[in-house]
Amino acid sequence: MAKNNNSIFFTEGSKVTQDSMQTQFAEHLEYDLAKDKNTVTSHDVLMALALSIRDRLVRNWIRTQHQYFQSNVKMVHYMSLEFLMGSLLEHSLSNLGLSEEINKLMKEFGYDIESIIKEEPDMGLGNGGLGRLAACFMESMATLEIPAHGYGIRYEFGIFEQDIENGYQIEKPDHWLRYGSPWEIVRPEKTYTIQFNGTVTAEWDATGRERFKWVNTDNVLAVAHDIPAPGYQNKTVNTLRLWQAKATDEFNLIDFNQGNYLAAVEGKNISETISKVLYPNDSIPSGKILRLRQQYFFVSATLQDIIKHFKLLNKDFKAFPDKNTVQLNDTHPAIAIPELMRALMDIEGLEWNDAWDITTKTFAYTNHTIVPEALEEWPESLMNTLLPRHMQIIEEINRRFIEEIKSKYSKDNGVIAGMSIIRENGGGDKSVRMAHLAIVGSHSINGVAELHTEILEKYLFKDFYKLYPEKFNNKTNGISIRRFLKEANSNLSELISASIGDEWIKDLGKIKKIEKFINDKGFKESWREIKKLNKIRLIDYLGSQINLQVNPDSMFDSQVKRFHEYKRQMLNVLHVITLYNRIRQNPKSDYVPRTVIFAGKAAPSYVMAKLTIKLINSVADIINNDKETGGKLKVLFIKNYGVSLAEKIIPASDLSEQISTAGFEASGTGNMKFALNGALTIGTLDGANIEIKNEVGDENIFIFGNTADQVLDIRTKGYNPGIFYENDAELKAVVDMIASNFFSANEKGIFDPIVYDLLHKDYYQVMADYRSYIETQKKVEAEYMDAENWTKKSIFNVARMEKFSSDRAIREYSKDIWKVQPMKITLK
Ligand code: F58
C-alpha cells in the first residue's frame, strides 16, 4: 500500500468535524449495530453513543501519537498488572466537553442519559487502590499533557462480581466483555511472541564473546488492544495498551492430523488462559504459576513494543533512558528488569555493564505495601523452569550486588543474607525476592504517603536505604479531580464553579477560594441541599436492591473499600452494636440518626474477611428489623462495590471511616475521595490520613487511636486483647452478644472464630482502639447536631484538598523521577 498519500491523513473538515453528533449516532446504530427503532435495545443505544464519542477521541488520539512519534519525545511507560478504569462514557463526555450537548441530544431522542450511562459495565481490571491509582494517573498524565503509555493485561474477566446470599459473599465471573467493548481498538499488527520454558545455550560469537540463546521454548502471542485515555478538555489522548494472549498455532497440527481433535485444541486453551482472569487477591500475593506467567507475558510484550518503537527513531541504545522511563506499579512487573537485560545483551548484543546502566536508568519502582508477607517471592525452581535465562541473569545481578554490599556497606553475613535478592530458605530451597530485585534494578524507589515512605526507610528496606539513600523518595498518592468531583458530584461542582469559576477543575489550588463563603448562609444551605440530593440519588440508584426505608436526613457514615483485617471493618461493627445497645437501653434519648454503609469485596480465599461480611449482614438484619431502633440506626451492606458505586456512595456520605491499624495502610485514596466530596473523616494516624489532617486542620477531622509507633510498641511488649474486654463493660457486652449467637440464632457458632480472635489474638489491635474510637464517634455526633458548624467543616475539607489531586502527584513524578516535560498537541 502506498504510505505517502498524505491527503487521506489528518483531513480537516472530516466526517467527524462536519457531521453532527445526531447523524453519527444514527449511523452507528444503523451500520455498526444493524438496528432500527423496533429492535434497538438500551445496550445498543450505549454502543452507538460510545462509538460516536470514540470517533471524536480518535481524531485527537491519532494526532497525539503522531506528534509524539515525530518529535521522538521521551515517553513514560506506566506498567501495571491492574487498571481499574471504571466506566468510560461519562468520563469521555466530560473530558471532551460534550456532556451538555449529548444530554440534550439524548433527551430529544427520548433517552435518559443517566440510564444509558448505567448500562455500561465497569472496566474492573483491578482489585482496589493500586489499580485505581493507575487509572487516576492515566487521566492526570493526559490532562497535564505528559507523553505516556499505560501497559497492562486485557483480562477477559475482571474483579469478580460479588453477590450476597444469606449474608454470605458469593463470587461470580465478571463477564465485562460479553457484548464487546466500544472503546478498544484491536491492533493485530502489534503482536509479539512471548517465550516460556525451554533451555539456554551458550556459544562464542565472531568477536569472541559468549552469547546466550533461549531455545526450544513454548510460545504464546500477545496482541495489543488499545483504549484511549483523554485529557481534560485538551487535545492529548494517550494510550492504555492491554495485551491479550493468543495461541501461536490455532491447532497443534500433529495432534490434529492424528485425529485427536480435543488434544489439539487443549494447547490453545492453555496459552490463552494467561489473560483470562485477574487474580482477586489483594495485599497477599497468590504465588500461583499462572500469576508469574501473566507477569512475564505482559512485561515481555511491553518491552518488545518499547524497543521496537525506540529502534525506529534511534540508533544508539545509550539513548534509551533519555527516551523511555518505566514506572513499575509495585513488584508485579519487576521481572522487566532481567527481561530488559536479556533483550539488550542476548538480542541487541550489548555488554553487561552498558545493559545494566541502561536498565537502572530506565526503571523506577513504587511500593504499595509494608506487610512483609505481601512482598512477592518466586521459588527459584519455578523460575528455572519457566524463565531459565532470567534466573541466570538474576543470579548474576545478585552476585554483583553482593560484591557491592561487601565493598560499600557491610561484610556481615546476616546483613548480606537479609539484603540478597535470592533468599536461601534452607535445604537448598531458594526464592527470588522481587522487591529486592526492583530496588537494585531501579534508580528510584518511592512510597505512597509520608508515613509509608518513612516506614520503608526505617524498617522494611532499612539496609537498602542506608546503601542507596538517594534512590528513596516519597510520592503521596492523589486522585482524579475530574472523575471524583466534577463527574461524580456534578451538583457540588456546579455550585463551586458558579461561586468561584471553574479553574479548579484543572488547578485544584483554586478551590481554596470557596473558603470565603464559609459564613454565607445561602451557599451553606445549597451545600447541605446537595448532600441531601446525593443521598436521595444513591437510594434511587440502589432501587430494589435495598428493601428498607433509608432516611436521607440521617448521617451517612460510610466504610467502602476492600475487606481486610487491617482495615478494621470489625471496629466499625463493634461501634454499630454499641450504638444499638445504647438505643435499646435508652430509647428516649436524643440520637443522631445514622445510616452506616459498608461495601467492599473480600478475597475469595480470605476466610476472616468473608466472615466479617457475614457478620455485618447478620447485624444489619437484626438492627434493621428492630422497631425500637427504627429511624435511629440502619445498617446497609451494598453489594458488588466498584468504581461506579464509589461515584454514587462517596458524594452521598457525611462521615468517612478510615480506621486502619496505624502503620498498615500505605496511603489510602478513598480517604481523599471522601474529603473532596465534603465528608469528614474519622480516622487513625495512618497513611495519607496524617497528611489530610495537616491540610484540613485538626478541628476539621476526627483522629483517634494508637499511633504507628504505639502499635509497634504494644506488639513488641506483648499484647493481651482480653484485658480490654475485661475492663470495658460496654465492649464486653458487645463481644458477648456476638458470642451468644444474638446475631446468629439460626447458625449457631458461626462467629466463634471472630470472638476467639478478638479475645486471644487481635493482631490488628481492634480491642486496643475500641474505647478511643467510641468516644470519638460521640464527638462526631455532637458536631453533626450543629448543622452550620458541620457544613463549615465540610467546606474546609473540600477547600483544602489541593495536595490530593493526582495532578500534583504526576507533576512530582514527572519532575523528580521521570524527567519528562509536557508536550502540547498542536496538530490540526
Ligand atoms: C493499595 N494496595 C494500598 N494492593 O493498600 C493503599 O494503601 C494505597 O493507597 C494504594 O495501594 C495505592 O497506592 C493495593 O491496592 C493490591 O491491591 C495488590 C493486588 C495484587 C496483590 C498484592 C496487592
Side-chain angles (χ1 to χ4, degrees):
M1 194 183 81
K3 271 200 172 172
N4 54 357
N5 179 5
N6 268 323
S7 63
I8 66 161
F9 297 112
F10 306 134
T11 48
E12 273 206 64
S14 69
K15 230 173 125 44
V16 173
T17 44
Q18 279 174 354
D19 279 4
S20 68
M21 235 12 206
Q22 197 163 351
T23 317
Q24 265 178 283
F25 176 77
E27 288 195 353
H28 281 298
L29 212 51
E30 187 171 352
Y31 301 122
D32 293 301
L33 302 159
K35 287 294 179 87
D36 66 13
K37 68 174 190 300
N38 300 318
T39 53
V40 68
T41 65
S42 45
H43 191 264
D44 296 325
V45 175
L46 164 71
M47 288 297 273
L49 182 57
L51 290 170
S52 318
I53 304 303
R54 194 183 82 179
D55 292 343
R56 308 272 151 146
L57 286 176
V58 161
R59 211 182 134 74
N60 288 335
W61 197 4
I62 295 176
R63 281 155 183 74
T64 304
Q65 302 308 316
H66 184 86
Q67 194 173 318
Y68 289 167
F69 185 82
Q70 281 218 315
S71 47
N72 191 10
V73 69
K74 181 171 185 178
M75 298 284 304
V76 177
H77 308 285
Y78 199 83
M79 260 198 207
S80 176
L81 213 45
E82 304 193 6
F83 285 92
L84 198 46
M85 302 299 282
S87 61
L88 296 183
L89 177 59
E90 188 180 11
H91 181 64
S92 308
L93 285 174
S94 161
N95 274 13
L96 283 168
L98 288 173
S99 307
E100 260 172 54
E101 186 188 325
I102 295 298
N103 215 335
K104 248 175 60 198
L105 178 69
M106 287 295 114
K107 238 187 224 145
E108 278 166 27
F109 282 153
Y111 299 114
D112 160 40
I113 189 76
E114 285 281 320
S115 30
I116 302 174
I117 287 170
K118 210 174 164 180
E119 270 296 315
E120 185 182 0
D122 269 12
M123 207 173 152
L125 310 186
N127 274 288
L130 172 150
R132 182 56 229 177
L133 185 76
C136 285
F137 279 7
M138 287 304 294
E139 202 272 335
S140 276
M141 288 190 289
T143 297
L144 296 177
E145 304 178 322
I146 300 291
H149 271 131
Y151 278 107
I153 294 181
R154 178 186 180 270
Y155 301 106
E156 197 177 324
F157 297 94
I159 185 68
F160 63 86
E161 187 188 318
Q162 179 193 53
D163 206 350
I164 300 293
E165 280 177 21
N166 182 31
Y168 291 98
Q169 166 176 300
I170 305 290
E171 300 93 28
K172 296 184 171 168
D174 159 51
H175 208 158
W176 72 287
L177 287 167
R178 187 174 357 231
Y179 302 111
S181 163
W183 304 108
E184 63 178 12
I185 293 191
V186 194
R187 306 266 187 219
E189 77 281 12
K190 299 222 179 286
T191 294
Y192 299 97
T193 301
I194 315 300
Q195 299 172 271
F196 290 103
N197 305 319
T199 51
V200 181
T201 62
E203 53 194 50
W204 302 96
D205 71 8
T207 65
R209 211 161 64 82
E210 195 177 22
R211 295 283 289 262
F212 293 89
K213 258 194 182 158
W214 186 15
V215 295
N216 296 326
T217 50
D218 297 327
N219 297 344
V220 179
L221 300 178
V223 184
H225 289 61
D226 288 352
I227 312 267
Y232 180 69
Q233 299 188 7
N234 61 17
K235 286 189 166 179
T236 301
V237 182
N238 285 333
T239 305
L240 171 59
R241 178 159 289 173
L242 302 177
W243 302 105
Q244 184 190 20
K246 279 270 170 213
T248 42
D249 301 306
E250 284 299 301
F251 295 103
N252 177 329
L253 282 180
I254 299 171
D255 276 341
F256 194 57
N257 292 339
Q258 285 167 358
N260 191 350
Y261 179 78
L262 287 178
V265 186
E266 218 163 54
K268 176 177 155 81
N269 284 341
I270 289 170
S271 35
E272 293 184 1
T273 50
I274 290 181
S275 58
K276 263 275 175 265
V277 60
L278 166 81
Y279 274 92
N281 291 12
D282 66 336
S283 76
I284 308 280
S286 71
K288 293 277 170 12
I289 180 168
L290 179 59
R291 171 91 175 169
L292 180 58
R293 279 175 183 270
Q294 290 185 332
Q295 296 184 347
Y296 180 65
F297 164 79
F298 104 97
V299 156
S300 174
T302 301
L303 286 178
Q304 290 185 57
D305 202 38
I306 297 172
I307 291 171
K308 186 174 169 190
H309 187 269
F310 175 79
K311 293 210 306 193
L312 287 174
L313 295 168
N314 306 277
K315 295 225 153 44
D316 186 352
F317 268 98
K318 288 220 165 72
F320 191 80
D322 304 327
K323 296 294 170 189
N324 298 288
T325 175
V326 178
Q327 191 69 37
L328 304 172
N329 200 21
D330 218 297
T331 57
H332 318 150
I335 193 70
I337 290 164
E339 173 66 356
L340 183 58
M341 287 296 286
R342 184 185 74 87
L344 293 176
M345 295 188 303
D346 299 358
I347 302 169
E348 305 299 339
L350 272 71
E351 302 274 1
W352 181 281
N353 287 339
D354 291 338
W356 185 244
D357 186 53
I358 293 167
T359 300
T360 50
K361 282 181 176 153
T362 300
F363 290 109
Y365 155 55
T366 306
N367 172 285
H368 295 267
T369 183
I370 54 130
V371 194
E373 63 268 25
L375 297 180
E376 281 192 302
E377 285 188 23
W378 293 108
E380 186 204 36
S381 53
L382 173 61
M383 293 283 293
N384 267 330
T385 315
L386 198 68
L387 303 167
R389 178 64 181 131
H390 298 77
M391 194 59 228
Q392 281 183 349
I393 293 172
I394 291 169
E395 271 161 7
E396 181 59 16
I397 294 174
N398 198 40
R399 192 188 65 76
R400 290 170 185 246
F401 174 54
I402 288 174
E403 288 305 308
E404 188 185 348
I405 306 177
K406 282 185 188 158
S407 72
K408 289 198 198 147
Y409 183 61
S410 170
K411 294 197 168 51
D412 180 320
N413 283 336
V415 172
I416 295 170
M419 295 176 84
S420 173
I421 297 170
I422 298 171
R423 184 216 287 273
E424 311 260 353
N425 301 313
D429 186 28
K430 295 178 187 173
S431 50
V432 180
R433 293 160 160 156
M434 300 309 272
H436 294 197
L437 177 62
I439 294 173
V440 176
S442 300
H443 63 278
S444 161
I445 296 111
N446 75 282
V448 290
E450 283 163 14
L451 174 70
H452 172 228
T453 302
E454 210 181 292
I455 292 174
L456 293 183
E457 294 174 352
K458 268 217 264 312
Y459 302 103
L460 201 62
F461 300 142
K462 182 181 82 196
D463 287 317
F464 291 95
Y465 176 58
K466 285 195 193 148
L467 176 61
Y468 304 129
E470 71 292 346
K471 285 194 188 186
F472 284 75
N473 62 96
N474 177 59
K475 293 287 166 282
T476 297
N477 283 163
I479 56 172
S480 162
I481 298 317
R482 272 72 63 185
R483 183 171 286 263
F484 288 104
L485 181 50
K486 182 178 178 294
E487 296 156 36
N489 199 344
S490 54
N491 291 324
L492 191 65
S493 69
E494 275 159 29
L495 173 67
I496 294 169
S497 294
S499 316
I500 60 165
D502 62 7
E503 283 169 278
W504 62 272
I505 300 171
K506 279 200 129 182
D507 174 6
L508 194 61
K510 295 283 191 312
I511 207 165
K512 278 186 197 71
K513 292 188 196 158
I514 59 170
E515 286 195 18
K516 65 176 182 243
F517 296 94
I518 215 77
N519 291 315
D520 182 318
K521 258 187 139 359
F523 184 85
K524 284 193 286 182
E525 251 163 51
S526 309
W527 193 271
R528 284 192 291 272
E529 194 54 34
I530 287 166
K531 188 59 84 183
K532 185 165 173 184
L533 277 174
N534 290 340
K535 292 178 183 180
I536 295 168
R537 181 183 70 152
L538 171 65
I539 299 166
D540 287 350
Y541 185 83
L542 296 173
S544 57
Q545 203 200 115
I546 44 168
N547 50 359
L548 69 148
Q549 279 282 311
V550 176
N551 172 8
D553 289 315
S554 63
M555 178 206 288
F556 277 29
D557 166 2
S558 305
Q559 186 172 20
V560 294
K561 49 181 79 240
R562 284 298 288 253
F563 271 76
H564 198 293
E565 286 162 287
Y566 84 77
K567 294 182 189 278
R568 299 200 296 190
Q569 280 92 354
M570 199 58 217
L571 185 57
N572 193 344
V573 181
L574 297 184
H575 173 244
V576 168
I577 303 174
T578 305
L579 281 183
Y580 178 56
N581 288 343
R582 286 184 183 175
I583 297 170
R584 289 194 307 156
Q585 278 150 19
N586 268 316
K588 298 262 154 13
S589 263
D590 257 356
Y591 294 95
V592 172
R594 276 203 204 221
T595 303
V596 183
I597 297 174
F598 291 91
K601 296 175 184 178
S605 58
Y606 193 165
V607 176
M608 272 307 232
K610 288 174 105 170
L611 196 56
T612 309
I613 293 181
K614 168 68 178 171
L615 177 62
I616 291 168
N617 283 310
S618 302
V619 169
D621 234 22
I622 299 285
I623 294 182
N624 296 342
N625 291 308
D626 189 328
K627 296 242 156 35
E628 220 163 14
T629 37
K632 302 183 194 97
L633 181 61
K634 292 273 187 249
V635 182
L636 215 56
F637 184 95
I638 301 174
K639 68 179 182 182
N640 201 29
Y641 183 61
V643 178
S644 289
L645 260 174
E647 288 166 8
K648 296 286 181 297
I649 298 171
I650 293 169
S653 300
D654 299 297
L655 187 64
S656 155
E657 300 273 350
Q658 307 301 335
I659 58 179
S660 51
T661 317
F664 282 89
E665 189 68 89
S667 161
T669 44
N671 46 6
M672 303 169 186
K673 292 164 199 165
F674 277 101
L676 180 70
N677 280 277
L680 270 57
T681 304
I682 179 165
T684 47
L685 287 174
D686 197 14
N689 293 354
I690 299 173
E691 290 158 73
I692 293 178
K693 167 183 159 292
N694 293 343
E695 295 299 310
V696 303
D698 292 2
E699 61 294 354
N700 299 312
I701 188 167
F702 301 95
I703 297 292
F704 74 94
N706 288 323
T707 61
D709 286 339
Q710 288 168 329
V711 167
L712 195 67
D713 199 46
I714 291 173
R715 178 157 310 132
T716 22
K717 289 194 175 130
Y719 172 56
N720 178 5
I723 290 179
F724 296 96
Y725 168 86
E726 295 299 343
N727 295 328
D728 189 323
E730 230 179 354
L731 174 58
K732 183 169 186 302
V734 170
V735 176
D736 287 347
M737 272 166 92
I738 304 174
S740 67
N741 294 304
F742 188 92
F743 303 107
S744 46
N746 297 327
E747 294 169 274
K748 293 211 164 53
I750 54 166
F751 299 128
D752 290 355
I754 288 179
V755 174
Y756 181 86
D757 189 87
L758 284 175
L759 294 181
H760 303 288
K761 282 164 74 188
D762 192 23
Y763 186 78
Y764 294 103
Q765 303 185 9
V766 170
M767 304 290 272
D769 276 347
Y770 170 84
R771 184 45 52 193
S772 154
Y773 180 56
I774 299 293
E775 297 307 320
T776 310
Q777 285 282 16
K778 193 86 208 144
K779 275 190 217 143
V780 169
E781 280 180 17
E783 300 260 17
Y784 190 78
M785 298 245 211
D786 179 353
E788 281 294 307
N789 179 45
W790 185 275
T791 309
K792 262 192 194 177
K793 289 176 190 281
S794 167
I795 296 171
F796 278 130
N797 268 266
V798 179
R800 297 173 180 179
M801 280 296 113
E802 174 178 15
K803 180 172 184 185
F804 306 103
S805 163
S806 44
D807 297 348
R808 187 270 314 147
I810 288 301
R811 274 196 202 95
E812 289 180 4
Y813 276 91
S814 300
K815 181 167 164 286
D816 305 341
I817 304 177
W818 302 335
K819 320 278 183 211
V820 291
Q821 301 291 331
M823 166 173 275
K824 190 157 226 51
I825 303 305
T826 49
L827 270 172
K828 291 261 184 308

